[in-house]
Amino acid sequence: MDKKQLKEILDNLYDDLIINDKEAINLASFISNSRKDKNSILRELYYNDNAPVKVLSTQFKGRGESDVTGEMIDVSIKYDEFLDRLEKRVNELISRHNRAMDVFFLIMSLPDPLCRLLYLKYFKRMTCDEVSVQLYISPSTFYRKLKDGEELLIKNINEREMR
């Protein structure tokens, strides 16, 4: 892992840790409901054109006039593509959450004051001045410790990935 990748993870640390559970739950629920909708639409397409007598019409329509196999296949394919995109989004959310958890645990395992500095900066989203006041350090010390903490974090992540 390089500094740019770490920075991206750290900048989104809080959001990825929390995932905004509502988003993941709503997305999973939407996928489930969409699967039911797909089955319902396919059933309606089939029964609408293949029933010997129309439910809303008394007119008989022969099978030769009502072949919708192609439509059903197209609807099924498009629904599957749609659901695959949604499932990829859920998997991405879960993957980012797991990665953020790993980084968060590594931050917590760093020696003090590096762990507190990184925690306040990236998890609590405090500014340099706020962290400096909280930890009783100068802004220049803040930036030096921030750099040291990020470098140690990269080293720990890379060691962990090598195992």
Side-chain angles (χ1 to χ4, degrees):
M1 171 170 296
D2 61 11
K3 190 162 185 136
K4 183 180 178 184
Q5 291 170 321
L6 177 66
K7 206 71 164 129
E8 184 179 327
I9 292 170
L10 291 174
D11 287 341
N12 298 308
L13 184 66
Y14 182 81
D15 295 328
D16 290 341
L17 273 174
I18 303 305
I19 291 189
N20 189 359
D21 286 339
K22 291 177 187 171
E23 179 182 2
I25 290 169
N26 287 341
L27 197 50
S29 174
F30 185 80
I31 289 170
S32 175
N33 288 335
S34 294
R35 286 192 194 288
K36 292 175 188 171
D37 292 343
K38 173 189 169 188
N39 292 334
S40 176
I41 287 173
L42 291 174
R43 201 172 22 257
E44 288 294 321
L45 280 172
Y46 180 80
Y47 288 129
N48 191 34
D49 284 337
N50 289 310
V53 178
K54 299 294 180 201
V55 175
L56 299 176
S57 168
T58 57
Q59 182 181 11
F60 175 76
K61 193 172 191 180
R63 285 181 179 236
E65 302 172 33
S66 62
D67 187 19
V68 292
T69 305
E71 286 179 4
M72 292 176 67
I73 290 172
D74 289 343
V75 167
S76 182
I77 288 171
K78 292 301 178 186
Y79 250 103
D80 289 341
E81 290 171 358
F82 169 67
L83 294 173
D84 285 345
R85 283 194 317 269
L86 293 178
E87 287 171 353
K88 283 179 186 172
R89 176 67 181 139
V90 169
N91 290 336
E92 177 187 318
L93 286 172
I94 292 169
S95 175
R96 289 181 65 153
H97 171 75
N98 291 338
R99 184 73 169 177
M101 289 297 284
D102 290 342
V103 171
F104 184 73
F105 293 148
L106 286 172
I107 288 172
M108 296 295 112
S109 69
L110 293 176
D112 201 38
L114 300 179
C115 68
R116 285 190 299 152
L117 188 137
L118 291 174
Y119 175 82
L120 293 172
K121 169 79 171 121
Y122 293 112
F123 186 76
K124 298 294 268 182
R125 297 179 173 167
M126 296 172 83
T127 65
C128 166
D129 293 335
E130 293 170 330
V131 174
S132 297
V133 168
Q134 182 90 17
L135 298 179
Y136 303 105
I137 58 175
S138 69
S140 62
T141 302
F142 166 83
Y143 286 109
R144 188 171 23 86
K145 297 280 187 194
L146 181 64
K147 181 181 176 214
D148 293 344
E150 289 172 349
E151 288 173 358
L152 185 57
L153 195 55
I154 289 171
K155 179 182 170 230
N156 290 348
I157 290 170
N158 289 336
E159 285 176 3
R160 193 172 206 190
E161 288 176 352
M162 295 299 263
R163 289 188 234 161

